[in-house]
Amino acid sequence: MIIQIKDCLSIVHEVTEVSHKDILGPYRFAFAAEARFLLYWAARTYTIYSFPKIGHILDRDHTSIFHGYNKVLKYLKNNNERWIHLTNKFDEVFKERFGYRVEIFTEAMTVSEAERVRIFLQELRKKNEQD
């Protein structure tokens, strides 16, 4: 099973209680931007899509996706309790829906470590598709 961005959007909606319209809309309110950044992080972490492809699907520039993704990584690296809670909650819901889990490290996670998590997910998906 390949995880789609719409799956991530659905989980972000559930975790943050922000509507799909607010997440995908042009709103710059903090609650909408926070949910949007979580979506960018989740889409890059849990799907096989690149920044440009995520941007295309969400009708955003790929640099916006990159910025939001890196912002979440920065919050996690700095042990920001709010973002640790959001990403862990996302991970819990993801596990409930799809049956597997990726540990989200709250220590200093570099972009290369995040990339390793993404590669691990891709390999796990390929294995599940072959079974």
Side-chain angles (χ1 to χ4, degrees), residues 79-107:
N79 291 321
N80 181 297
E81 289 181 29
R82 172 80 177 139
W83 283 95
I84 291 169
H85 170 74
L86 285 172
T87 54
N88 285 337
K89 182 69 177 163
F90 185 97
D91 190 46
E92 288 172 21
V93 175
F94 183 87
K95 181 183 177 188
E96 289 171 13
R97 288 207 187 152
F98 299 103
Y100 50 92
R101 174 186 180 101
V102 173
E103 295 296 327
I104 303 303
F105 301 99
T106 56
E107 310 171 357

Side-chain angles (χ1 to χ4, degrees), residues 11-60:
I11 296 172
V12 168
H13 164 68
E14 185 176 330
V15 168
T16 62
E17 299 179 352
V18 176
S19 73
H20 292 196
K21 179 182 175 188
D22 288 342
I23 295 170
L24 298 175
Y27 312 108
R28 299 186 78 174
F29 301 113
F31 71 91
E34 181 178 85
R36 201 172 295 127
F37 286 167
L38 184 61
L39 175 61
Y40 298 164
W41 169 84
R44 183 64 177 144
T45 303
Y46 289 88
T47 73
I48 60 173
Y49 300 120
S50 64
F51 290 114
K53 183 67 174 177
I54 295 166
H56 177 75
I57 291 169
L58 296 175
D59 198 27
R60 301 266 197 253

Side-chain angles (χ1 to χ4, degrees), residues 49-75:
Y49 300 120
S50 64
F51 290 114
K53 183 67 174 177
I54 295 166
H56 177 75
I57 291 169
L58 296 175
D59 198 27
R60 301 266 197 253
D61 187 80
H62 73 280
T63 58
S64 298
I65 309 301
F66 184 74
H67 171 73
Y69 172 81
N70 281 330
K71 202 154 176 116
V72 173
L73 289 183
K74 178 182 168 190
Y75 289 139

